Amino acid sequence: MATEQTYIMVKPDGVQRGLVGEIIKRFETRGFQLVALKMVHASVEHLEEHYKDLKGKGFFPGLIKYMNSGPVVAMVWQGKDVVKQGRVLLGATNPLASAPGTIRGDFAIDVGRNICHGSDSVESAKAEIALWFGQDGTISYSRAVDAWIYE
Ligand code: DAT
Ligand code: MG
């Protein structure tokens, strides 16, 4: 059984725009399994840790301010190849370069308001899940439907 996990987050603009259900739906209907979910208004320190690889970029202060502007929905999704497939479902970083049918390509325009986050590698997924869910952990449960999703 596939146990790869990725960290997916609906950003403050996605929450404000009422896109939480839409984003969850795309992962759910694809067949991926939700194993953790919570709403959190993250602190500046927490967000600086999440985006530490981007510290020094010109857009970094604006990115942190935007991410701290309201609550986010933090999730862990599980399934085969879910890290890479999650990025495909999200679309390109810049929504203007995102294909229709992707979340950003369907619902966003500006790179600084791209409504969702997804881990970019298995290693960063592990670090991000530890950062956002370290104290809570994820839930392990079986689904009868997996026999109809995986051969
Ligand atoms: P992604 O979110 O696709 O993994 P990233 O990790 O390179 O992209 O950047 C994190 C976020 O920072 C991205 O979702 C939006 C913002 N960002 C990235 N590049 C930017 C830029 N050139 N101008 C403004 N914001 C940018
Ligand atoms: Mg990234």
Side-chain angles (χ1 to χ4, degrees):
M1 196 54 234
T3 55
E4 187 172 300
Q5 296 182 334
T6 192
Y7 176 66
I8 300 292
M9 168 165 59
V10 185
K11 296 180 176 181
D13 48 339
V15 172
Q16 293 293 330
R17 292 181 53 197
L19 294 170
V20 174
E22 179 67 38
I23 292 168
I24 289 176
K25 185 175 145 211
R26 292 183 179 219
F27 283 83
E28 212 170 28
T29 54
R30 180 75 187 277
F32 293 122
Q33 183 180 15
L34 183 62
V35 294
L37 178 147
K38 68 180 172 186
M39 190 168 226
V40 45
H41 195 151
S43 69
V44 166
E45 295 70 31
H46 188 92
L47 292 163
E48 284 177 348
E49 176 62 23
H50 175 78
Y51 281 125
K52 62 177 184 293
D53 293 350
L54 298 173
K55 205 164 184 157
K57 300 270 187 196
F59 59 81
F60 187 77
L63 172 64
I64 299 301
K65 191 174 173 204
Y66 150 61
M67 290 298 298
N68 177 244
S69 66
V72 301
V73 172
M75 298 177 273
V76 181
W77 286 89
Q78 183 172 295
K80 186 190 280 183
D81 202 32
V82 70
V83 172
K84 189 171 134 216
Q85 297 306 319
R87 297 281 296 188
V88 174
L89 287 173
L90 260 51
T93 300
N94 186 342
L96 294 182
S98 300
T102 65
I103 294 166
R104 288 165 174 168
D106 286 349
F107 301 113
I109 296 174
D110 269 355
V111 67
R113 297 289 184 275
N114 64 5
I115 71 171
C116 52
H117 166 85
S119 306
D120 63 8
S121 67
V122 171
E123 299 87 75
S124 53
K126 284 188 179 133
E128 290 170 3
I129 292 165
L131 176 65
W132 291 87
F133 287 98
Q135 65 281 43
D136 309 313
T138 57
I139 305 289
S140 178
Y141 63 102
S142 60
R143 296 189 307 177
V145 75
D146 277 347
W148 299 99
I149 294 170
Y150 296 103
E151 60 182 8

